[in-house]
Amino acid sequence: MSQYHQQAKKRFGQHFLHDRNVIDNMLRAVNLQPTDHVVEIGPGPGALTFPLLELLPCLDVVEIDRDVIAWWQEQPQAQGKLHIHAQDALKLDIPGLRGDGDTLRIIGNLPYNISTPLIFHFLEHREHIRDMLFMLQKEVVDRLTAEPDSAHYGRLSVMVQYYCEPHYLLKIGPGAFTPPPKVDSAVVYLKPWATQPFIANDAEQFEKLVKQAFAQRRKTLRNTLKDLLTVEQIESVGIDPVRRAETLSVEDFVNLTNLLPAMTQP
């Protein structure tokens, strides 16, 4: 394989992974099979892509950088195997990409600047996705996997855990990347629930309530939710109104949401 000689571009949030031990650990975590439909977000110079091409008969990759795309089009190992989607991953047509085939397995070293919106884009289409394996800023992974009443637990924790089960896999230092980022990274495995353990009657109301509850973290539910629920309503589902949002479980938020009238029609 030829070397990629372009520098990482700040506007795309690029930090190219080069540590083979990290890559091997990531691939072991997902146990890919040749029949899997795998989508890689941001192949870059191929630290993860080339090992994937060794495991799979074909691979979909999503890349916005024209220099990276042009380089991949010249790689012999990619010919006939690599399907390049030259676009912003935030606009990826996930149902269309899946087609009539098996659910997608999505993997990638996500750009730091769009990692959270990307995850929510994928979760909107979770019925088409089997699982996801992402490398992100460690702080984001801490938030995705945080438990109630812990330092990193917040709106992101609740919203992601409502839709899927997150697993913190490994921490990665800056030296595993070129250029090295200023922060630590981590790998997270996200598996959409086959059957959601708790379901809000209205997803829009759920999102609104969670956002409002965490808007002023130091205030109690009595205050943050006062224009949505009365003290008596909060107490009716076994929650003390003087608690703060960070102490509530996903189930608690669902129970509170289900006290509200639906905003959208089923």
Side-chain angles (χ1 to χ4, degrees):
M1 71 185 74
S2 64
Q3 290 291 108
Y4 180 80
H5 296 295
Q6 297 285 338
Q7 286 191 333
K9 297 171 183 173
K10 282 187 177 180
R11 72 179 184 276
F12 295 138
Q14 291 173 336
H15 293 278
F16 297 139
L17 177 66
H18 60 73
D19 189 317
R20 186 62 198 234
N21 287 330
V22 171
I23 294 159
D24 290 343
N25 284 333
M26 290 178 70
L27 294 177
R28 274 196 296 271
V30 287
N31 188 28
L32 295 175
Q33 302 301 310
T35 53
D36 290 339
H37 188 171
V38 178
V39 182
E40 184 187 5
I41 308 300
L48 190 55
T49 317
F50 285 114
L52 287 171
L53 287 171
E54 292 173 9
L55 294 170
L56 302 165
C58 60
L59 173 67
D60 284 284
V61 297
V62 183
E63 180 58 65
I64 197 172
D65 187 332
R66 293 179 182 177
D67 292 328
V68 172
I69 293 167
W71 182 80
W72 272 112
Q73 289 169 337
E74 297 173 356
Q75 300 310 303
Q77 299 95 320
Q79 302 309 309
K81 294 186 68 175
L82 195 71
H83 304 147
I84 302 172
H85 303 266
Q87 65 173 111
D88 183 347
L90 283 166
K91 298 177 181 176
L92 183 65
D93 176 10
I94 294 168
L97 185 55
R98 178 193 176 184
D100 297 325
D102 291 337
T103 49
L104 307 177
R105 307 194 73 185
I106 304 181
I107 190 168
N109 171 19
L110 297 191
Y112 288 174
N113 53 352
I114 60 166
S115 59
T116 300
L118 257 182
I119 288 171
F120 279 107
H121 176 58
F122 296 140
L123 289 175
E124 283 178 17
H125 303 282
R126 60 197 175 279
E127 68 272 22
H128 300 289
I129 296 172
R130 176 176 159 188
D131 55 10
M132 297 168 272
L133 184 77
F134 295 138
M135 187 173 307
L136 305 163
Q137 282 179 278
K138 179 180 177 293
E139 179 189 350
V140 176
V141 176
D142 286 338
R143 290 164 60 200
L144 293 175
T145 58
E147 296 184 354
D149 215 7
S150 63
H152 296 286
Y153 188 73
R155 179 185 169 202
L156 181 62
S157 319
V158 174
M159 294 305 302
V160 167
Q161 292 171 31
Y162 174 70
Y163 291 114
C164 69
E165 189 176 7
H167 297 276
Y168 189 123
L169 295 187
L170 64 150
K171 176 184 170 183
I172 306 157
F177 302 89
T178 303
K182 296 179 181 178
V183 295
D184 286 330
S185 301
V187 176
V188 66
Y189 177 74
L190 303 172
K191 188 172 182 60
W193 295 109
T195 303
Q196 278 186 248
F198 316 108
I199 300 178
N201 294 336
D202 187 305
E204 193 175 339
Q205 284 282 42
F206 178 74
E207 184 176 351
K208 177 184 176 182
L209 185 141
V210 172
K211 180 179 181 180
Q212 190 160 322
F214 281 104
Q216 296 172 292
R217 289 182 68 101
R218 304 312 299 166
K219 289 195 172 184
T220 65
L221 298 172
R222 176 201 294 267
N223 292 312
T224 58
L225 301 180
K226 63 184 177 182
D227 62 338
L228 294 177
L229 296 168
T230 65
V231 166
E232 290 74 24
Q233 285 178 304
I234 296 172
E235 290 175 335
S236 74
V237 290
I239 298 172
D240 188 336
V242 300
R243 288 172 63 183
R244 296 189 177 111
E246 65 203 41
T247 70
L248 268 58
S249 66
V250 173
E251 181 180 12
D252 290 331
F253 282 108
V254 168
N255 289 338
L256 289 172
T257 301
N258 289 344
L259 296 170
L260 301 172
M263 292 173 68
T264 54
Q265 295 299 316

